Amino acid sequence: GENVEQHPSTLSVQEGDSAVIKCTYSDSASNYFPWYKQELGKGPQLIIDIRSNVGEKKDQRIAVTLNKTAKHFSLHITETQPEDSAVYFCAASPPTGNQFYFGTGTSLTVIP
Amino acid sequence: DTAVSQTPKYLVTQMGNDKSIKCEQNLGHDTMYWYKQDSKKFLKIMFSYNNKELIINETVPNRFSPKSPDKAHLNLHINSLELGDSAVYFCASSQIQGGETQYFGPGTRLLVL
């Protein structure tokens, strides 16, 4: 089955700096890669996603890149703000079945 | 107008008890899921239902039994609760099987004493 690895497990940045979280996956058939943000005491919320026919997607300060050959994808947050502090999860989903394989999470702290 | 709702939000109970967690989604999705998040924040899928039919059943003890009365509801019943069952349980739903966004509920924080 699919195996998703996520790094780093913790990340601290100064407000205004950029943050990058990286994930690798093992199943080359996976074709959908969502990113979730989980704030304290809440459920994970989708912030951006990318499909395997696209190499990059951007939404304001958030961008995701996908390298299918290397089987890795990354989340980029620019101009970080304190409210970006949360746990971020990547996931990979194969085209068959309905299972998300989640990474182990990255705890991001933005220091004011 | 909550998309995916769960009750209760907190559940504190004694070892050996039986408890249920309820989940409802008003998104019109046909697939629902239960996840367990442990203290290290790992998200692990437990079950998935598509149109009231069990699709995924991971290596979960048979003390856990999901029940889907209709495609908008997926409840989780847990028998003979153990200390290791303490975790946050999330319900989620998606439009179709595979490759579509899953929408998560707010979670149920279960503490077994």
Side-chain angles (χ1 to χ4, degrees), chain A residues 31-32 34 36 38 40-46 49 51 87 89 93-100 102-105, chain B residues 9 31 33 35 37 40-43 45 48-49 55-56 58 90 96-106 109:
Chain A
N31 64 352
Y32 177 64
Y36 285 83
Q38 185 178 18
L40 195 62
K42 296 185 178 180
Q45 299 294 312
L46 179 78
D49 57 10
R51 297 188 185 273
V87 178
F89 292 95
S93 178
T96 57
N98 60 344
Q99 191 159 347
F100 276 15
F102 280 92
T104 48
Chain B
K9 186 170 184 177
T31 306
Y33 314 79
Y35 285 87
Q37 186 173 48
K40 293 185 178 179
K41 298 292 187 180
F42 296 153
L43 272 168
I45 191 160
S48 170
Y49 267 75
I55 301 299
I56 291 174
E58 291 293 301
F90 288 102
I96 61 172
Q97 293 187 25
E100 290 296 327
T101 302
Q102 293 183 16
Y103 295 87
F104 283 77
R109 285 138 191 87

Side-chain angles (χ1 to χ4, degrees), chain B residues 48-73:
Chain B
S48 170
Y49 267 75
N50 180 258
N51 274 325
K52 302 193 295 176
E53 180 183 347
L54 181 64
I55 301 299
I56 291 174
N57 183 351
E58 291 293 301
T59 52
V60 177
N62 57 14
R63 297 182 295 104
F64 290 78
S65 54
K67 286 185 170 53
S68 181
D70 55 63
K71 75 173 193 176
H73 297 84

Side-chain angles (χ1 to χ4, degrees), chain B residues 74-111:
Chain B
L74 181 63
N75 303 324
L76 184 64
H77 188 76
I78 315 170
N79 289 327
S80 304
L81 277 156
E82 299 178 356
L83 295 177
D85 297 332
S86 296
V88 182
Y89 292 85
F90 288 102
C91 177
S93 73
S94 69
Q95 183 63 7
I96 61 172
Q97 293 187 25
E100 290 296 327
T101 302
Q102 293 183 16
Y103 295 87
F104 283 77
T108 295
R109 285 138 191 87
L110 172 65
L111 177 61

